[in-house]
Amino acid sequence: MKSIFTTFPIVVALDRAAGKFIADLVREEARCEQPLPLTWNAKNQMQNDLLAPDLWVPTVAAFDKLTADELASVASWNADVINEFLRREKFEIQLQPWPPDRKTFGIAGKIKLRGHWTQQGDKGYTVASRKKAFRLDRGLRFFDYGVRGETGVAIPTREGDWVHIVRAPSALSHFDLIRYAMQTTKNAKPSTRYKGVILPQWSFQEKVDVSGLIGLNTIDAADNHWKLVQALMEGKSAFGLDGMSFKAAFAAAVLRESMMIGKEPRPGDLVVDYPLVMSIWRTNVQLPLGAVMIEPDDFSDVDITIEDKER
């Protein structure tokens, strides 16, 4: 199993691209200023993970430590602009087009990293049933981490970054992958047990399921309600004799929802605006004939009649 993930293309698209786009729109349409950054509201665990302070805050704080070539974002009313941005960066993901009605705009972000080892890998080694491997021994930093005292290695690059290699405890993906990498570094202790390292090689490209980010929403200063209605991500990783490369892109469509003013509840009304269970009971039957559980996100935006549904 393999997986790839990063917070950076998601956060730069939401924080910079969507933030500036909505701020400019509010200034144009409502003649008022939009405070930045936007406040995004989570509806599920994946969205909560994205907005968690231990991930969102350091991601934003690191923007200025990456070059414009390494980290970039774009926003547009036109899906073609977003898709061209993705194609130019050699990604396969593409947003589905939407009507040109100024209700939906697209955003995308990308991160592109390259690191060259300070020495050429000594090839000819093998690992894991004779898979191609190589040896490095220059400038390495070994460290012990975890309760079992596992040893990891930090490899320097000519660009000034460090690439850490640690043992994976199990299948990891999405935010768990990022948090595990952070955890193994946080309490690491220097080790002098090893002098060199034998490393495998790999190259892969993978689409990442971020459909859980659909529904992430915000409200702007003009009381427009915006939510993600498409969310796509793709990553690429290569690791070889001379260095490593890491690329990832995120793209989303953001819909402006029409806001309808409903009647005010009357005094004494119970307002059912929370997750609910509906069950159907019949006299002298000891259990419900059927049951439904539904959350507010799945409530209907339109009036429904049962006769229409049964036709």
Side-chain angles (χ1 to χ4, degrees), residues 42-224:
K43 294 292 186 180
N44 59 36
Q45 188 56 52
M46 177 176 277
Q47 295 171 23
N48 281 324
D49 282 337
L50 172 65
L51 301 178
D54 67 320
L55 296 180
W56 183 280
V57 173
T59 301
V60 173
F63 284 172
D64 293 338
K65 294 179 172 60
L66 290 107
T67 67
D69 184 58
E70 291 174 324
L71 185 69
S73 61
V74 63
S76 175
W77 288 117
N78 192 335
D80 289 342
V81 173
I82 307 302
N83 289 336
E84 175 56 30
F85 173 87
L86 297 167
R87 285 193 296 269
R88 191 166 60 245
E89 295 294 336
K90 304 295 192 294
F91 290 104
E92 295 179 358
I93 54 172
Q94 297 277 275
L95 292 175
Q96 294 297 314
W98 52 81
D101 52 11
R102 289 176 68 91
K103 290 184 179 179
T104 304
F105 70 93
I107 55 174
K110 65 98 177 183
I111 187 169
K112 179 171 66 176
L113 304 171
R114 290 173 67 89
H116 296 87
W117 313 138
T118 57
Q119 66 182 120
Q120 181 77 5
D122 182 11
K123 61 183 180 180
Y125 295 86
T126 60
V127 295
S129 301
R130 310 206 56 82
K131 299 288 187 179
K132 294 287 188 180
F134 63 99
R135 184 178 188 275
L136 296 175
D137 60 12
R138 186 181 300 172
L140 305 176
R141 294 179 183 172
F142 294 94
F143 57 91
D144 293 335
Y145 65 93
V147 295
R148 296 182 179 179
E150 297 276 9
T151 300
V153 61
I155 309 166
T157 69
R158 295 204 304 263
E159 291 77 9
D161 294 327
W162 289 83
V163 176
H164 289 206
I165 302 291
V166 297
R167 183 186 297 271
S170 59
L172 292 169
S173 63
H174 296 93
F175 302 100
D176 289 341
L177 176 56
I178 300 300
R179 285 197 170 102
Y180 181 73
M182 294 168 70
Q183 174 191 331
T184 57
T185 300
K186 184 177 181 180
N187 299 314
K189 297 178 180 179
S191 172
T192 57
R193 193 181 314 168
Y194 299 97
K195 303 299 181 185
V197 61
I198 309 298
L199 295 159
Q201 303 180 59
W202 68 79
S203 177
F204 72 89
Q205 177 174 348
E206 184 171 82
K207 292 182 174 68
V208 182
D209 181 6
V210 289
S211 58
L213 297 180
I214 292 173
L216 185 71
N217 65 90
T218 188
I219 304 173
D220 67 28
D223 204 32
N224 293 303

Side-chain angles (χ1 to χ4, degrees), residues 29 39 72 81 100 119 128 141 178 187 233 257 266 311:
E29 294 184 346
T39 299
V81 173
Q119 66 182 120
R141 294 179 183 172
I178 300 300
N187 299 314
M233 190 171 183
E257 298 182 285
R266 298 180 186 182
R311 284 175 185 168

